[in-house]
């Protein structure tokens, strides 16, 4: 079982406040001989006659001395999970959950923005103190 990120509960609470239902914590990903765990699988009911929206959320703290190293690890994990979902024919979007303070600083660097755009990284930005989602990007 993977270790939980220090902001795991804050992200869970933020998602619940936003109307999402946590359906797996962690979410087991499998394709062929690859077995991995993403942090959360969540679902949000839409209209009664429509199927709900389901997404996978991977939470990253960005608290090490090297934010670029954290970004490198997060990017690799995000791409691997997205690829495994695609190979396993799971049609779920994946989001990288990051704190608003990291989004407002490190993720505003031109190099980071270019990489995020190049790899079509979807972000869920949250405030860990208020346990609220502040931004979704696509």
């Amino acid at each position: 079982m993977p270790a939980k990120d220090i902001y795991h509960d804050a992200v869970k609470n933020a998602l619940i406040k936003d109307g999402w239902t946590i359906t797996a914590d962690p979410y087991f990903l499998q394709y062929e001989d690859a077995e991995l765990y993403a942090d959360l699988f969540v679902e949000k009911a839409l209209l009664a006659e429509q199927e709900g929206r389901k997404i996978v959320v991977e939470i990253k703290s960005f608290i090490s001395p090297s934010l670029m190293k954290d970004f490198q690890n997060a990017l690799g994990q995000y791409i691997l999970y997205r690829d495994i979902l695609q190979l396993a024919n799971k049609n779920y979007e994946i989001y990288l959950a990051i704190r608003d303070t990291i989004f407002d600083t490190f993720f505003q660097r031109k190099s980071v923005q270019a990489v995020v755009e190049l790899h079509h990284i979807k972000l869920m930005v949250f405030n860990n103190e208020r346990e609220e989602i502040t931004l979704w990007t696509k």
Side-chain angles (χ1 to χ4, degrees), residues 45-135:
L46 299 175
L47 299 175
E49 64 274 7
Q50 296 178 338
E51 187 174 321
R53 184 173 176 216
K54 299 173 183 176
I55 64 171
V56 174
V57 177
E58 182 61 24
I59 306 161
K60 289 298 167 205
S61 300
F62 288 87
I63 55 173
S64 82
S66 171
L67 294 179
M68 192 57 78
K69 182 69 173 171
D70 287 347
F71 182 57
Q72 180 182 3
N73 292 336
L75 179 64
Q77 200 169 15
Y78 179 93
I79 292 171
L80 178 61
Y81 291 177
R82 183 178 63 195
D83 290 350
I84 292 293
L85 286 168
Q86 184 178 4
L87 290 167
N89 293 319
K90 304 286 186 185
N91 193 22
Y92 308 135
E93 295 175 286
I94 183 167
Y95 282 84
L96 183 65
I98 59 171
R99 286 178 295 141
D100 53 358
T101 53
I102 291 298
F103 179 79
D104 292 341
T105 55
F106 181 75
F107 275 76
Q108 298 310 308
R109 294 172 63 166
K110 287 183 179 181
S111 62
V112 173
Q113 287 181 342
V115 172
V116 166
E117 185 175 322
L118 179 68
H119 291 284
H120 308 285
I121 307 298
K122 296 176 182 177
L123 301 173
M124 187 202 100
V125 182
F126 65 96
N127 179 287
N128 63 301
E129 294 170 359
R130 295 191 316 265
E131 297 184 340
E132 292 177 352
I133 298 168
T134 60
L135 179 69

